[in-house]
């Protein structure tokens, strides 16, 4: 079972979409969380340790993740998808981006 974690700022639009898209895939367990303290589901150390691969949406998320969880990221793959914060939850274009860009890393 491949454990993948999607991370954005607020965990309202992008990362929950990634979790929804891959949450029902065979052989994949997906979660999502946000880096901001007031995120819907704030990212915790246990999430970082749980994941095999962490997908962040923007370079700033990768920097924040590295700064806050540096000691927990040993051996973790962190991949920046370069998805700007201009999509709604389950936006068809956003879903297509996830389906196009993520599978190469998890299968």
């Amino acid at each position: 079972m491949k454990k993948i974690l999607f991370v954005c700022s607020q965990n309202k639009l992008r990362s929950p979409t990634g979790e929804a898209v891959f949450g029902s895939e065979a052989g994949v367990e997906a979660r999502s969380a946000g880096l901001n303290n007031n995120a819907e589901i704030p990212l915790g150390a246990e999430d970082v340790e749980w994941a095999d691969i962490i997908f962040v949406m923007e370079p700033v998320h990768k920097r924040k993740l590295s700064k806050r969880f540096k000691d927990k990221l040993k051996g973790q793959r962190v991949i920046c998808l370069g998805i700007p914060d201009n999509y709604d939850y389950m936006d068809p274009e956003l879903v297509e981006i996830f389906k196009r860009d993520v599978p190469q890393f998890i299968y």
Side-chain angles (χ1 to χ4, degrees), residues 46-104:
E46 65 283 350
D47 298 307
V48 173
E49 292 172 334
W50 168 86
D52 295 318
I53 305 173
I54 301 170
F55 292 97
V56 298
M57 303 301 128
E58 301 177 60
V60 67
H61 299 139
K62 191 169 186 174
R63 288 191 298 274
K64 285 182 180 179
L65 180 71
S66 296
K67 189 175 179 181
R68 276 186 35 201
F69 297 101
K70 184 169 73 173
D71 58 330
K72 306 288 183 200
L73 288 171
K74 304 267 190 282
Q76 295 285 55
R77 288 181 69 195
V78 179
I79 296 154
C80 181
L81 295 171
I83 300 174
D85 190 11
N86 57 5
Y87 296 98
D88 289 327
Y89 176 70
M90 295 304 286
D91 181 305
E93 188 177 337
L94 178 59
V95 170
E96 280 307 308
I97 292 169
F98 281 122
K99 286 182 177 180
R100 181 192 71 212
D101 294 349
V102 170
Q104 63 184 316

Side-chain angles (χ1 to χ4, degrees), residues 9 19 35 90:
S9 298
E19 179 181 11
L35 282 161
M90 295 304 286

